Amino acid sequence: MSVEANIPVDRGAALTDFGTIYRKHLPLLVGTAVAHFHISEADAEGLAHEVFLAYFLKAGEVINPRAWLLSALANASRYYLRKQARTVGLSHHIANAAAEARSPAAVLPDQLMAREMVGCATARCQLALRLRYWEGFSIPEIAEELDTSARYAQKLVNRCERQARDRYAAKEKR
Amino acid sequence: MKTIDPGDEFLAVVSRIEAERTDARPLIEDLRRSGELLWERELPESWRTAGFAMELLTSASDVLEEDPRKSLVLAQLALTVVTSIPEGTYARPLQAQLAGSAWKEIGTSHRYRSRYDAALRAYDAAQRCFESEASLSHDVAILDLNRAIVLSDWGRNEEAGTLLESAVPILREFDDRRRVVQAQVIAGNIRQRQGRFAEARSIYESALRDLDPDDLHTGAVLHLNLGRAETEIGDFHAAALHLQRARAVFSELSMPAEVARTQWALASALMRAGDFDRAVPILQRTRADFLDRSMPEEAGLAGLDLVETMIATSHPAEARSLTERILEEFRSAELNARAITALAYLRDLLPSARQSGLAVRHVRNYIEQLRHEPSRVFIPLPE
């Protein structure tokens, strides 16, 4: 049999230690990003905080916090540098246009462009619309995800589009 | 004017999320008890928090073993909660990590229900979330490990091996020894599926030596796998010892689905040793367990083991009636149509076939292979 790659988390212990681990390791992480990756101190601090946030979600499963944090920081720094190298030389206008083109929201029907609009729908509709328009699932894939028939999934998506539009319009009127 | 220390500000955010989790716990406990998930209502504003999503994910993970369907629904609700949190409420990496974790849980629930396509789709979605942020490389490696499990279950061994090769160095970098051992387990599984049982045994034995003594779960998995490998090699005594150890630990860890799988492996070892009297009651209990847990494929395969024992002990009418029941279960669970065809063939064949035992094994092996190769064509036994 296979193993489960999820590891049980001791949440109580995780939170008690988090503040201590944070205070103890923050200077080390910032210093490492600055010294080894030549990242500015302000950006290094931002990266270190991102790493701590990631750690926060899985603190209870980490055996060796120092090794974990340093590895996460090293990977985050490399990612940061790669991203910096890619964006250098692109004007804001081009970069924004490219980002917009890549966004799945760019292919949404006008009425569903806004996340806020979907947020007005019921939980089931939010899920169906997210699968359809953000994740690009086909109707049979949505049906499989929701444990239903393709026919019902198609009806659901249509109904949810209407629901999100109507509720958003009603909210706007108020 | 007093300036705010960014460290204090950060810790304040963390405390806020922890308070949200505390607030969410009783609400989610109610949801779990009542079974009502309010899908037909707009999510209350107070639910749209990172803490609420985190607690839902914890619940999804807690019930995964017992009820993968419920786990799926909880993880889907977590995804809906995360994606309905207004932009800017939390730092972007946290939202990406939560959305990715929700997708990962969704994928794992699908995997437990043998829905491999859906599992891989969910893991792809998780990857898009994790890869969007700099700080989530450990999550990406864990995801690769999860994907390797699906691919190896599916018989796509080469792809699984490639993923393991890329994930293990990153897991080592994070000193994630548990998951490094888990990767060894998957590598052993691949050998086992290829029929290289002695090699598989030696990988499992090596993993046992590397195992952190506190990692009871992976230890139990290793004993279960060693039990299966020993059964194939023909050392039933060693198999029984490993399987009993696995069963004891899974029971201690309250993992009923794994206890059922271990019982099933024990029954298979007894069947192979020709001890049908002891194998039958174990198989009956195991099959009932799988049905209760909405695991129709496993229930069907355990059922076919029972059919084989019925034939071996000269009970052909019971064997046919059980095959008919399994066929109905597969139909109502809408499992692979090819499996249904193979079961219908077996049902029609059973009253008259001279080599019924062989036919049962043929169909059983085929259904097992379908899990790895869903489009495999069924070829009946030669007349």
Side-chain angles (χ1 to χ4, degrees):
Chain A
M1 91 173 257
S2 295
V3 281
E4 180 44 53
N6 288 337
I7 286 178
V9 176
D10 181 354
R11 289 186 299 278
L15 186 73
T16 318
D17 296 344
F18 186 81
T20 319
I21 288 173
Y22 170 78
R23 297 263 181 228
K24 188 174 162 191
H25 292 91
L26 180 66
L28 173 70
L29 296 196
V30 175
T32 305
V34 172
H36 292 277
F37 295 96
H38 310 292
I39 293 172
S40 73
E41 195 164 335
D43 285 352
E45 205 167 281
L47 277 180
H49 279 121
E50 287 187 13
V51 165
F52 275 112
L53 264 186
Y55 175 79
F56 172 62
L57 245 71
K58 53 175 64 183
E61 69 176 69
V62 174
I63 300 168
N64 181 347
R66 186 187 155 93
W68 194 97
L69 289 166
L70 280 172
S71 296
L73 192 270
N75 280 294
S77 300
R78 283 193 283 267
Y79 180 102
Y80 169 89
L81 291 173
R82 275 199 305 274
K83 210 168 154 191
Q84 289 292 103
R86 269 206 304 270
T87 48
V88 166
L90 278 184
S91 74
H92 282 301
H93 174 71
I94 296 172
N96 289 344
E100 226 168 77
R102 280 196 303 273
S103 160
V107 295
L108 276 177
D110 283 349
Q111 303 92 325
L112 292 169
M113 283 287 284
R115 192 185 153 100
E116 202 184 331
M117 198 180 279
V118 175
C120 298
T122 62
R124 183 175 308 284
C125 280
Q126 283 195 42
L127 180 61
L129 294 175
R130 168 147 290 271
L131 295 176
R132 185 74 177 124
Y133 294 109
W134 269 264
E135 304 297 343
F137 278 32
S138 66
I139 293 296
E141 287 169 348
I142 294 175
E144 190 173 11
E145 191 60 47
L146 301 180
D147 249 343
T148 186
S149 66
R151 205 171 153 180
Y152 178 77
Q154 179 67 70
K155 271 189 187 167
L156 180 70
V157 169
N158 293 343
R159 177 166 66 81
C160 290
E161 283 177 8
R162 273 197 308 276
Q163 185 190 86
R165 232 179 359 242
D166 294 350
R167 287 185 178 200
Y168 183 71
K171 202 172 166 186
E172 285 291 281
K173 268 186 200 161
R174 284 202 301 267
Chain B
M1 195 176 94
K2 196 184 164 197
T3 55
I4 300 168
D5 178 353
D8 289 342
E9 204 178 347
F10 177 74
L11 288 175
V13 171
V14 168
S15 301
R16 191 182 103 206
I17 296 171
E18 203 47 44
E20 292 165 0
R21 294 183 76 165
T22 310
D23 292 345
R25 251 166 238 153
L27 288 166
I28 292 171
E29 199 44 51
D30 281 351
L31 282 179
R32 271 174 68 170
R33 260 201 308 270
S34 66
E36 188 201 0
L37 285 165
L38 304 174
W39 281 105
E40 297 309 328
R41 283 174 45 188
E42 199 176 324
L43 286 173
E45 288 296 327
S46 60
W47 287 21
R48 300 180 187 208
T49 68
F52 202 94
M54 284 164 86
E55 278 306 306
L56 277 170
L57 287 175
T58 304
S59 296
S61 170
D62 287 349
V63 301
L64 178 68
E65 269 295 315
E66 217 173 296
D67 190 345
R69 172 86 188 90
K70 194 177 226 176
S71 173
L72 173 68
V73 173
L74 287 165
Q76 287 173 337
L77 189 63
L79 177 70
T80 309
V81 167
V82 179
T83 52
S84 67
I85 295 172
E87 289 272 3
T89 308
Y90 305 98
R92 245 185 34 199
L94 181 74
Q95 281 195 230
Q97 191 177 14
L98 283 171
S101 303
W103 274 117
K104 180 161 74 72
E105 252 352 287
I106 289 172
T108 304
S109 315
H110 283 310
R111 172 161 74 75
Y112 265 63
R113 301 172 73 211
S114 309
R115 294 181 163 193
Y116 300 128
D117 265 332
L120 288 179
R121 230 175 3 249
Y123 289 151
D124 285 347
Q127 181 148 2
R128 287 194 289 275
C129 300
F130 291 145
E131 282 187 342
S132 68
E133 296 300 329
S135 52
L136 306 178
S137 49
H138 187 225
D139 292 280
V140 174
I142 296 170
L143 201 58
D144 279 345
L145 194 58
N146 276 288
R147 236 196 228 113
I149 297 172
V150 173
L151 291 169
S152 78
D153 278 356
W154 208 348
R156 290 162 65 175
N157 296 323
E158 242 173 69
E159 290 165 83
T162 308
L163 278 174
L164 289 179
E165 275 168 30
S166 67
V168 167
I170 298 168
L171 296 171
R172 279 194 204 283
E173 219 182 284
F174 279 88
D175 201 18
D176 193 345
R177 281 164 264 168
R178 286 186 176 197
R179 289 196 177 90
V180 170
V181 170
Q182 290 180 345
Q184 283 176 276
V185 177
I186 302 166
N189 287 343
I190 292 173
R191 302 295 191 292
Q192 203 156 345
R193 292 213 173 91
Q194 291 168 333
R196 294 150 72 181
F197 301 111
E199 275 176 56
R201 177 173 61 184
S202 115
I203 293 175
Y204 296 140
E205 283 170 345
S206 144
L208 263 184
R209 284 192 293 275
D210 294 342
L211 186 70
D212 177 348
D214 292 337
D215 188 359
L216 298 177
H217 174 242
T218 309
V221 170
L222 282 167
H223 282 295
L224 170 55
N225 288 354
L226 273 164
R228 283 177 173 162
E230 295 287 16
T231 301
E232 294 298 335
I233 290 165
D235 187 342
F236 302 119
H237 179 68
L241 287 178
H242 282 298
L243 293 171
Q244 280 157 5
R245 286 183 73 173
R247 186 176 54 188
V249 179
F250 283 136
S251 303
E252 201 181 312
L253 294 173
S254 306
M255 299 181 83
E258 300 314 334
V259 172
R261 283 198 186 99
T262 311
Q263 300 269 53
W264 186 13
L266 193 57
S268 301
L270 290 168
M271 279 172 68
R272 292 285 294 271
D275 190 349
F276 296 117
D277 287 347
R278 284 170 67 201
V280 167
I282 300 177
L283 281 172
Q284 284 167 335
R285 276 201 305 275
T286 307
R287 179 172 143 69
D289 258 6
F290 284 139
L291 285 173
D292 284 350
R293 277 171 226 299
S294 317
M295 295 162 82
E297 203 170 356
E298 280 83 355
L301 287 167
L304 285 178
D305 283 344
L306 265 174
V307 170
E308 196 182 332
T309 64
M310 286 165 176
I311 287 165
T313 53
S314 307
H315 293 93
E318 280 123 315
R320 187 179 191 276
S321 135
L322 180 55
T323 307
E324 180 77 57
R325 267 210 305 282
I326 297 168
L327 180 60
E328 278 315 306
E329 287 159 12
F330 270 52
R331 275 191 186 130
S332 63
E334 292 176 25
L335 294 182
N336 192 320
R338 294 171 195 272
I340 293 169
T341 306
L343 281 168
Y345 155 83
L346 181 64
R347 177 206 50 197
D348 297 342
L349 194 78
L350 270 187
S352 57
R354 252 179 286 161
Q355 289 186 296
S356 318
L358 190 65
V360 177
R361 274 195 298 281
H362 179 69
V363 169
R364 190 201 184 287
N365 289 342
Y366 171 72
I367 294 174
E368 191 128 49
Q369 282 165 342
L370 273 184
R371 304 172 86 175
H372 314 317
E373 208 185 321
S375 53
R376 193 185 178 92
V377 176
F378 177 67
I379 301 168
L381 279 174
E383 297 271 323

